Amino acid sequence: MSKLNELGLAGARDALRKGETSAVELTQACLTAIDAAGELNTFVHKTPEIALERAAAADERIKAGDAPAMCGLPIGIKDLFCTKGVPSQAGSRILQGFLPEYESTVSQNLANAGAVMLGKLNMDEFAMGSSNETSTYGNAISPWRRDDDDAALTPGGSSGGSAAAVAADLCLAATGTDTGGSIRQPAAFTGTVGIKPTYGRCSRWGIVAFASSLDQAGPMTKSVRDAAIMLHAMCGHDPLDSTSADLPVPDFEAMLTGDIKGKKIGIPREYRMDGMPAEIEKLWADGTDMLRDAGAEIVDISLPHTKYALPAYYVIAPAEASSNLARYDGVRYGHRATLAQGDGITEMYEKTRAEGFGPEVQRRVMIGTYVLSAGFYDAYYNRARRVRTLIKKDFEDVFAQGVDAILTPATPSAAFDLGEMTDADPVQMYLNDVFTVTVNLAGLPGISVPAGLDKQGLPLGLQLIGRPWEEGDLLNTAYALESAAGFVAKPRKWW
């Protein structure tokens, strides 16, 4: 057997059931790997005592024969999820020292299923970023390097710590959240699998809010089968979240047949961007051929309002962020600045928020406040909401024509150097979300599957977009793509 921490969820589950290893041994292997990988800066709050305690309890459950699939499997939790008694800062200074007295529904569901929490993972501050460079903990660093140099690369964002930890085999899987691509883009950058389920499939209760109509939790794993296993444990109706769907959760793993004969896969012409790198173009064409060879019917489709998605997203998301982050004011939640004599409440608000929020969060809060202000509400926010409706209708029209899934690139490039985009125009960074934001605006499920390497040896991902509530069907199509692509590359160990 390979090193225990290098196993995926399915492999580890099977090894536990056969008695080839124990949850405690699995957990210890991951804890050792985490301690040896400080340079990656992925785990920002380690919880070895909780992990070993849960692992021992999981071993008892497995012996008793009543263990669900996730029982005994060590995972990382993104710092956006509130975890009882464990720091939950959302990557921000303003929440320093916050120890929740409650557990998020998703992390509670995983704990109930017997999953072992190894600790909290690095992320962009309040999930605002595409490179994990806005975190109060410092940058998370990708385990990947180009073949010809040792420049530090981004693991993507905002779930960069989750992606890097899974790619480096520090945990078997991790939770992520996706507001505009924050699961799928880091998965593509690190050669891992990331699925954003339909909006409402996973409860948002206890997850620190960024943009409430867009945020959705999902798993980041080493394979599509692992994603199916973990997603099943994360989902379910939650009366504490008014947007949580009261729908049965199917056995996603049981739906992985790999048979996609007769499935109709749409290729949207609007995703052929000017200046798209030849490698991304080729990857997309190769992925199309793989699905065709697996028996799917390939059809050209049109999503005419795609070009308006990024501007609409960067009005709606900051507007909701401005509203959600108003509570961090030094009175109700979070850090409070030290005041000088004579300072009043206005100075207290100003100093607290200036100290507590980083530059990217400040930028988005200011944009959001502007587009919600009296003179601009209709010109920006309401217009963006109307565009969102049109984008959603584009997808509905395509699915009404019998299309089962849509294949697109996941990102416009492979991972870039840390620092490469932060000094430039912030809009350059926002363009990383060009292929992913439509899925959030329409509330659809989307998955990133590793499908190849670029000429410098870095992973590239393809995205599949599915019908609402049909994650099982989407995962099966992704399983067929994964099988055809045969991606097995791992980063060379330098840390």
Side-chain angles (χ1 to χ4, degrees):
M1 191 185 290
S2 61
K3 289 183 185 166
L4 292 175
N5 57 298
E6 293 174 5
L7 292 170
L9 297 176
R13 172 195 62 188
D14 297 346
L16 286 171
R17 299 301 179 276
K18 290 176 189 164
E20 293 171 357
T21 187
S22 68
V24 169
E25 288 172 323
L26 263 176
T27 301
Q28 197 58 64
C30 289
L31 292 172
T32 302
I34 291 164
D35 287 341
E39 288 171 84
L40 299 179
N41 197 27
T42 54
F43 277 87
V44 290
H45 300 293
K46 299 176 190 175
T47 56
E49 298 85 3
I50 292 172
L52 290 168
E53 186 183 311
R54 287 192 187 176
D59 280 331
E60 292 303 315
R61 275 180 87 173
I62 292 165
K63 270 187 206 148
D66 74 333
M70 286 292 294
C71 192
L73 304 182
I75 60 169
I77 303 289
K78 186 177 179 179
D79 194 38
L80 208 61
F81 293 78
C82 288
T83 42
K84 187 173 182 179
V86 177
S88 305
Q89 281 183 237
S92 181
R93 185 185 173 199
I94 208 156
L95 279 172
Q96 196 165 351
F98 174 50
L99 297 173
E101 284 300 313
Y102 53 88
E103 191 81 24
S104 78
T105 299
V106 165
S107 55
Q108 187 63 59
N109 287 348
L110 287 164
N112 293 345
V116 173
M117 180 177 76
L118 295 164
K120 304 297 285 291
L121 291 158
N122 204 346
M123 57 173 282
D124 278 298
E125 184 180 9
F126 281 102
M128 297 181 198
S130 302
S131 62
N132 217 128
E133 292 175 275
T134 68
S135 170
T136 189
Y137 310 118
N139 304 340
I141 295 170
S142 175
W144 289 86
R145 289 281 192 260
R146 294 190 189 92
D147 288 338
D148 53 0
D149 71 45
D150 284 331
L153 300 176
T154 175
S158 65
S159 307
S162 300
V166 174
D169 294 317
L170 308 185
C171 52
L172 275 50
T175 62
T177 61
D178 193 309
T179 306
S182 286
I183 285 174
R184 291 158 290 149
Q185 183 248 27
F189 277 3
T190 56
T192 55
V193 173
I195 180 169
K196 180 205 92 72
T198 311
Y199 181 80
R201 182 61 99 175
C202 286
S203 170
R204 291 182 300 108
W205 194 84
I207 300 172
V208 179
F210 163 13
S212 302
S213 74
L214 300 162
D215 299 344
Q216 193 61 192
M220 303 187 74
T221 60
K222 299 177 187 180
S223 71
V224 172
R225 182 173 296 278
D226 289 359
I229 291 167
M230 187 165 170
L231 183 61
H232 182 265
M234 292 170 69
C235 291
H237 176 58
D238 180 11
L240 296 173
D241 174 6
S242 62
T243 62
S244 170
D246 192 0
L247 292 170
V249 180
D251 183 344
F252 299 127
E253 189 186 8
M255 298 172 79
L256 300 181
T257 62
D259 181 6
I260 58 167
K261 287 185 180 66
K263 293 285 183 190
K264 202 182 268 194
I265 308 295
I267 308 295
R269 63 180 71 109
E270 289 79 9
Y271 281 59
R272 296 190 190 285
M273 302 291 178
D274 290 339
M276 184 190 285
E279 288 173 317
I280 301 286
E281 191 85 56
K282 183 179 183 309
L283 184 83
W284 193 9
D286 290 347
T288 305
D289 291 341
M290 289 174 203
L291 292 174
R292 186 185 286 114
D293 292 344
E297 180 191 347
I298 305 297
V299 293
D300 281 325
I301 60 168
S302 177
L303 298 166
H305 295 93
T306 296
K307 63 184 173 191
Y308 305 116
L310 266 180
Y313 173 84
Y314 278 103
V315 169
I316 291 168
E320 295 187 12
S322 161
S323 175
N324 277 326
L325 271 59
R327 70 192 74 171
Y328 305 107
D329 57 9
V331 178
R332 290 171 287 183
Y333 289 93
H335 167 80
R336 180 187 288 196
T338 305
L339 303 183
Q341 195 167 0
D343 281 350
I345 192 161
T346 303
E347 289 79 12
M348 191 268 293
Y349 284 154
E350 287 173 352
K351 288 182 178 177
T352 291
R353 290 168 72 80
E355 287 177 14
F357 292 144
E360 182 59 32
V361 173
Q362 291 178 20
R363 180 185 291 124
R364 296 201 198 191
V365 166
M366 287 191 286
I367 291 168
T369 306
Y370 177 79
V371 302
L372 290 175
S373 58
F376 300 102
Y377 191 91
D378 279 334
Y380 291 105
Y381 184 64
N382 270 343
R383 182 174 293 182
R385 287 171 62 207
R386 287 196 293 274
V387 169
R388 180 182 190 170
T389 303
L390 294 171
I391 289 167
K392 190 167 186 286
K393 187 173 185 308
D394 284 350
F395 284 104
E396 287 168 356
D397 292 346
V398 163
F399 291 134
Q401 293 160 20
V403 169
D404 295 290
I406 297 165
L407 180 71
T408 79
T411 57
S413 70
F416 47 87
D417 291 4
L418 285 165
E420 184 180 325
M421 293 208 193
T422 43
D423 304 328
D425 175 357
V427 173
Q428 285 300 113
M429 187 74 87
Y430 298 165
L431 290 173
N432 261 287
D433 302 331
V434 66
F435 299 126
T436 50
V437 295
T438 52
V439 179
N440 300 80
L441 289 167
L444 299 172
I447 186 169
S448 175
V449 179
L453 297 173
D454 76 352
K455 62 177 179 288
Q456 295 178 300
L458 296 180
L460 297 169
L462 285 171
Q463 174 180 235
L464 283 160
I465 302 166
R467 295 164 170 267
W469 314 114
E470 294 189 13
E471 289 86 0
D473 196 52
L474 177 66
L475 282 158
N476 186 47
T477 306
Y479 184 60
L481 179 62
E482 176 187 58
S483 303
F487 184 92
V488 292
K490 297 289 287 183
R492 60 183 164 89
K493 195 168 187 305
W494 56 266
W495 59 92

